[in-house]
Amino acid sequence: MKFAFYPGCVSRGACPELFESTIAVCEKLGIELDYKSMESASCTGSGILQEKNLKLGDTLNARNFALAEKSGLPLLTICSTCQGVMSQANARLLADKEYLKEINQELKSEGLEYKGTVDPKHLLWVLMEDIGIDKLKSLVVRELKGLKLAPFYGCYIVRPSAALKFQENPSRSTSLEEIIKAVGASVVDFPGKTQCCGFPILMINQKNAVNMVANHTSTAKDEGADAMVTPCPLCHLNLDAYQPEASKTKNEPINLPIIHLPQLIGLAIGIEPEKMKLNKHIISTKTMLSEIGVSP
Amino acid sequence: MNVNLKVKRFDPSEPTKNTWWQEYQIDIHKDSTVLDALIHVREYEDTSLALRCACRASICGSCGMKVNGSAKLVCKTRVAEVSPGGEQVVIEPMGNHPVVKDLVVSLDTFFNQIKRIEPYVQPDHIPEKGEYIASNESMENLLTAMNCIMCGCCVSDCTVLEVDDNFIGPAALAKAWRFVDDPRDSKRENRLNNLNNEDGGIWDCTRCMQCVEVCPKGVDPMDRIMDLRDSAISNGLTNSFGARHANSVNKSIKHSGRIDEFRLPIESKGYFNIKEIFKLLIPGLRMLIKKQSPSPFHHKNPNQSKVKNIFKNFEENK
Ligand code: SF4
Ligand code: SF4
């Protein structure tokens, strides 16, 4: 199984532990990542560039899709925000032939053209739809029994559900829960799991962003969670790095470790925590790891 | 079909324990809507259940409620849709609105938000003949926003309103766009200025898309907020944290193909805004020490000149 790999900005920037753990996990799962084909791909615009100029954003994404198309490989991302922005751009490009034609004009000078055949996929969905829960279960060498995990989807991998093709792929709406169960841990359900983490306004209205972190992490903790799992590096950044600020608003330490999806899989299929930089989080994962008998 | 409804009850006249969950097991027609089911409960099982509805045809916007955690018009939602395998259906009053009784909420908060944006056309002259004429084309842009039936579903599920009741909110901002872009209105600049500068204005939305997902009328409030942001920046309102944030992202993708996570926070705040930058300092240092990231050294993607050209073309054609 080979994919054109689109790591996104954050896994190569502020969340290097996501990048490292993805590489290690994909190797074990038999997912071959081709770096070369998307090496000159740009940022999706992250929804932010789109506030300023939607068409420019769509053009950059069409260019990235054209690069993937050229490689002949399906496109894989490890960032929910990239997934959402790409899916939305793709939906607009495919819905209007004239629009796609106009945008392709912009790509012409580079000899690129987007024909409309790309279906970008997050690792979370690849695990569900291409690897399959049964295969994942068969690779588990360390059942994470006793660990109580709160799923945190965030926004971009669940909304808008039409662009993300939830109807065609109903398992997408419960994928994180299924994976948590497949590795032997138990699911802590809480209402915030599909809400915004607050990251998009962190630099605009920090107070609101931090209050969102406080609400989600403390609710999950009150419901009994030992840690939270997310497929989105931006959610991770806010929920982990700003949790100390969130704790201040609650006047008590929240201390809920936030782990990336591949780190969860990695723990279960026998990858060492240091290799996945589980010791590099702001909120320590020590207690959580000792609960499953792993020393960090 | 048989269905189990779990309804959140609230009775303000009860001195203690005024909020509780109540389950009803009922037998209804397979095509019933959630509203039919609730009316069945009120008629045959429990006359004390309070709910509000009027047209039953998703026109009046009275029956917004949370069904399995997200806001819906219950007259437009079939039981079979939300309980395909016979699962329990959980019904609560809408969020972010004060509850009056059981499933009935007060819309005062909602209309106070709407009032904030001065929801009426403000022309600068009286037309010679009795009407203000606007061309079809000039109004097309407003059609989505004009579809709003004021049901409050978007407000119910807005993630910002949950932590900040001063946010103008999705419905009112969508309505604001409807007047900003109305060719007969003369207050466009004023309106954009206010929406840009006000606490709780256009830059406070997190782009979480809850409002887009739950709006039963395709208003897509968040997209209208993006229209407002685009208009604000195009109108030269570039001094907000939000506009600087968008401009910084634009600049770094144009320069390197990627977001420069080191500069983005600083540029959003403004290089000389010491007080705000100071607030970023502690979390920033924590990240640098623990993760050695984000690195201050920002690399360019290969072939970046191609991406830069796309930006240049857009800038020239604007
Ligand atoms: S997109 Fe913005 S306005 Fe809409 S629900 Fe989310 S935060 Fe509220
Ligand atoms: S924007 Fe949509 S959800 Fe919000 S009040 Fe109007 S119709 Fe209801």
Side-chain angles (χ1 to χ4, degrees), chain B residues 110-131:
Chain B
F110 180 88
F111 283 105
N112 286 336
Q113 291 166 357
I114 299 278
K115 276 182 212 151
R116 272 172 77 180
I117 60 102
E118 302 185 356
Y120 36 85
V121 178
Q122 300 181 38
D124 58 0
H125 66 284
I126 295 176
E128 283 165 27
K129 282 193 205 155
E131 295 176 279

Side-chain angles (χ1 to χ4, degrees), chain B residues 18 72 108 165 185 187 206 212 246-247 259-260 274 284 291:
Chain B
N18 57 12
K72 292 183 174 0
D108 289 354
D165 57 13
D185 195 88
K187 293 280 188 319
T206 62
V212 174
N247 283 334
I259 291 183
D260 183 339
I274 307 296
K291 295 185 157 193

Side-chain angles (χ1 to χ4, degrees), chain B residues 118-123 132 178-179 182-186 191:
Chain B
E118 302 185 356
Y120 36 85
V121 178
Q122 300 181 38
Y132 292 93
R178 183 243 166 283
F179 294 104
D182 190 310
R184 300 162 300 177
D185 195 88
S186 63
R191 289 179 189 274

Side-chain angles (χ1 to χ4, degrees), chain B residues 255-269:
Chain B
H255 168 261
S256 63
R258 303 191 206 174
I259 291 183
D260 183 339
E261 293 158 314
F262 190 80
R263 276 168 198 82
L264 178 59
I266 305 173
E267 293 189 348
S268 302
K269 297 300 185 187

Side-chain angles (χ1 to χ4, degrees), chain B residues 178-201:
Chain B
R178 183 243 166 283
F179 294 104
V180 160
D181 220 37
D182 190 310
R184 300 162 300 177
D185 195 88
S186 63
K187 293 280 188 319
R188 182 185 165 93
E189 305 250 313
N190 269 2
R191 289 179 189 274
L192 281 175
N193 260 318
N194 293 343
L195 294 164
N196 182 69
N197 301 340
E198 217 173 322
D199 267 355

Side-chain angles (χ1 to χ4, degrees), chain A residues 201 205 207-209 211-212 215, chain B residues 95-98 107-116 155-156 158-170 172-173 198-201 204-205:
Chain A
I201 50 166
N205 189 330
K207 187 168 156 244
N208 284 357
N211 280 338
M212 287 178 194
N215 285 350
Chain B
N96 298 327
H97 299 273
L107 286 172
D108 289 354
T109 319
F110 180 88
F111 283 105
N112 286 336
Q113 291 166 357
I114 299 278
K115 276 182 212 151
R116 272 172 77 180
V155 166
S156 159
C158 172
T159 42
V160 171
L161 284 168
E162 246 160 61
V163 294
D164 182 1
D165 57 13
N166 185 43
F167 180 45
I168 299 178
L173 287 171
E198 217 173 322
D199 267 355
D204 274 348
C205 157

